[in-house]
Structure formats: C-alpha cells, structure tokens
Amino acid sequence: VLEVRASEPPGQLVLSACPTFGRIHLDDEWEPNPTVSFPLGAVLQRWLRSAVIADIEQRGFDRAVRISFANARALGPQSRCVLVLETMGRLSNALLTDADGVILEAVTHVTRDRNRYRQILPGEQYVPPPSFGRHHPTALSAEEIAATVPDTDASAGTWLRETFQGISDVFRAEALCRAGVSPNVRSGDLRAKDFDALRTAFTDLLAEAEASRGWLYDCGKERFAYPVRLQSRPECTLQAAPDIHGAVARVAASGMVGADVAQLRRRLQDAVARASATVSKRIAEREDYVQRARDAGTVRRTAEALLTYGHLVPRGASLAEVPDPYAQGATLHIALDPTLTPQANAQRYFARYR
C-alpha cells in the first residue's frame, strides 16, 4: 500500500501480487496490516519514502504495470527506480528495480530451476514476461486479425486467448458475445463479417471501460468487479459502484474475508491432522511397549533354556529344540543365529530381555 500524499485527503495506491486477488487500484479507506513484514516492504520504505510518481505505464494490454519514481531515497529528481506489478494468477509478482533495471527486491524470488527464461532475484537484470507474439486487441485491423487465425481446429475462444495480450475469460466471452460468435465455433470457419464484428467489439469494450464507472457482479459462486456492463453474463446480479477502484476494493475485501476463513480452516485441519498423527504414534509406541513387556518372560525363559541346555545344540544350527526349564516335559523351539554359538545366542536373548 503506497500513500499518495498529493491528493486531498491523502489516498492510497493498493498493489497486490496475491495469486487470487492480484490487483492495482486507488483506495481511501484501505489500512495496511502492520503484522505483515516481508523483504520487499523494507526496500520500498527506503527507496520510496519521499519519492514522487513520475509515470505509470501498462505493458501493452498485459496484466503488468510499471510505476516510475523520481527522488528515490530522497536523492533528488534524477534518482530513479521502478516498481513493477505483474498480476498473472499463480505467477503474480511485484518487484522494485533501480534506474538501470537491476532488481532490488521482489515478493517472490524465481530461480533458474523454476524459470530458465528469466530469474527474479536481487542483483539480476529485470526481464519482462515473454509476449509470445500476442497483439494488443485494438492494434490490428479486421484483415490483420483474420490473418492470425491458425490452420488448426482451434476454437474461436482458444484462438483469441492465444493471439491477444491480457485477454481474460470475461473479456473474451464478452467480445465473442457482442460479435455474435460462439466461443466453440472453429476459428477457421469465421468469416470477414465476424472479424469486423470482433474488431468493433474490442474497440467498444475499451472505450466503455475508459468512460464507465465500476460494476459489481454477483454470479452465485463467482463475484467480481468489471468496468463494463456485460451482455454475456445475464444470469448475474449487477450493482453499480462509484468507480472501478471502489468496486475492486469491495470485491477484494469480501473475497479476502472468505480467503482468511479458508486459510484458518486449512490451518485448523493441519493442526488436527498433526495432533492425530502424534497421538497415533504414541499409541503405537505404548502398544509396542506393552507387547514387549508381555514377551519379556518368554524371552528370559528362552535365554535361560539356551544357557542351560546349550551343550545339546549342535554348532551352526538355526533352530534349537531344548527342554523348557519351567515346564517339565515341555520343549522349546528357539530360532538361532547359525553364525553364533548357543551361549552367544543366549546372551542375545538376555540383551533383548533387558
């Protein structure tokens, strides 16, 4: 959470690299959690305490934002640094670089073992996520969009996801809905009018997002904020918000409450599982102790019989049949180590008894 002091009253810029609730938005009520401490937070405090936001830039249409700061570490306007936020699901991350793009710290360190293309570590040069040749939704004409269709059986929905930057499931479904194209139709079966309609849908969606306020969508198990009134989700309950920042903040706050409950549930389940495993281990140890105590008399009788009648056992035998010294006429069948003498076997049984 960055405090923006230039606004009246001072506001806050919230950035989150959470895999579930990754986001960036303004908020005037968000309170930072003082119990949360992480290395990037300490670095941000040193570099941004008196810094000035010089520029905010989205990387194409990807879910990656660069915030450039001047007066980093209070060393003057020429002292620069860049805060990068990548909201990409489980791969989300946030990091700070110096003016030359060298990483100072990151929320999540990514080593070569995890990613050979780029490493997110202090001292490494920052490398943006690969673009995979994807395009901004409004950068191509209808004819150029048609030229990107692969010679495969890929559906229209799959083709859009693999061709354009930052296309979320919601954006893709809405664009296809407005263009009158089924997401399951084979992309190779699309016609010129479909590409014209998709190009128009892309342009309209971005224009509406710029001009619109925020909307809260409650779709039962799914709840999200979006800057556009969606035609593709008629089953959802729609609620207007003053702006998209407030809408995102409300969804994140309610979702994080649910996430906290789920996290507490998992912790409780883990604690119960650990306690159960500990109790089961102790029960097994005590049962073993009781069984060994019950066997102690038999082990002692075996050792004494071997010691008394060992002279009757041939050397190298693996089984001995000797009289039971405690039961007249009874015979004991005793397993032996053939490499040891009967007397040495007897000492082993005595050691086991003790």
Side-chain angles (χ1 to χ4, degrees), residues 103-170:
I103 299 172
L104 301 171
E105 190 53 89
V107 168
T108 303
H109 289 181
V110 180
T111 63
R112 186 174 297 274
D113 293 338
R114 293 179 54 190
N115 191 324
R116 293 188 177 184
Y117 175 77
R118 64 181 192 139
Q119 289 73 57
I120 307 297
L121 295 169
E124 293 283 346
Q125 189 74 27
Y126 171 68
V127 177
S131 64
F132 299 108
R134 292 173 179 155
H135 309 279
H136 190 289
T138 61
L140 304 181
S141 65
E143 292 76 14
E144 290 171 329
I145 293 175
T148 66
V149 174
D151 187 19
T152 66
D153 291 330
S155 67
T158 301
W159 161 65
L160 282 182
R161 184 182 65 242
E162 296 178 352
T163 303
F164 295 97
Q165 297 175 341
I167 294 289
S168 66
D169 292 342
V170 175

Side-chain angles (χ1 to χ4, degrees), residues 42-53 69-82 96-100 102 104:
V43 174
L44 291 177
Q45 287 184 346
R46 291 198 304 270
W47 281 73
L48 304 184
R49 186 175 297 277
S50 300
V52 177
I53 296 177
F69 293 89
N71 195 36
R73 295 187 295 174
L75 295 180
Q78 301 306 315
S79 179
R80 299 292 181 116
C81 65
V82 178
L96 186 71
T97 75
D98 63 14
D100 297 322
V102 177
L104 301 171

Side-chain angles (χ1 to χ4, degrees), residues 2 13 15 24 48 53-57 65-69 81-85 96:
L2 303 180
L13 179 62
L15 302 97
I24 176 172
L48 304 184
I53 296 177
D55 186 38
I56 299 179
E57 175 189 7
V65 177
R66 291 168 48 92
I67 306 177
S68 301
F69 293 89
C81 65
V82 178
L83 179 60
V84 180
L85 176 66
L96 186 71

Side-chain angles (χ1 to χ4, degrees), residues 127-249:
V127 177
S131 64
F132 299 108
R134 292 173 179 155
H135 309 279
H136 190 289
T138 61
L140 304 181
S141 65
E143 292 76 14
E144 290 171 329
I145 293 175
T148 66
V149 174
D151 187 19
T152 66
D153 291 330
S155 67
T158 301
W159 161 65
L160 282 182
R161 184 182 65 242
E162 296 178 352
T163 303
F164 295 97
Q165 297 175 341
I167 294 289
S168 66
D169 292 342
V170 175
F171 186 98
R172 180 180 54 179
E174 183 66 13
L176 290 169
C177 176
R178 294 190 179 200
V181 175
S182 168
N184 299 319
V185 70
R186 183 176 174 274
S187 57
D189 293 336
L190 297 177
R191 298 292 178 260
K193 64 179 182 61
D194 298 320
F195 299 117
D196 287 332
L198 281 171
R199 179 67 172 78
T200 300
F202 291 160
T203 304
D204 290 347
L205 278 170
L206 295 185
E208 289 178 29
E210 289 285 343
S212 176
R213 54 186 178 180
W215 300 93
L216 288 165
Y217 290 84
D218 190 342
C219 310
K221 294 182 179 180
E222 184 183 19
R223 192 165 186 261
F224 61 93
Y226 211 69
V228 171
R229 294 197 65 161
L230 299 174
Q231 301 173 18
S232 58
R233 303 301 292 267
E235 78 280 6
C236 299
T237 301
L238 184 64
Q239 182 181 355
D243 53 50
I244 189 60
H245 301 284
V248 171

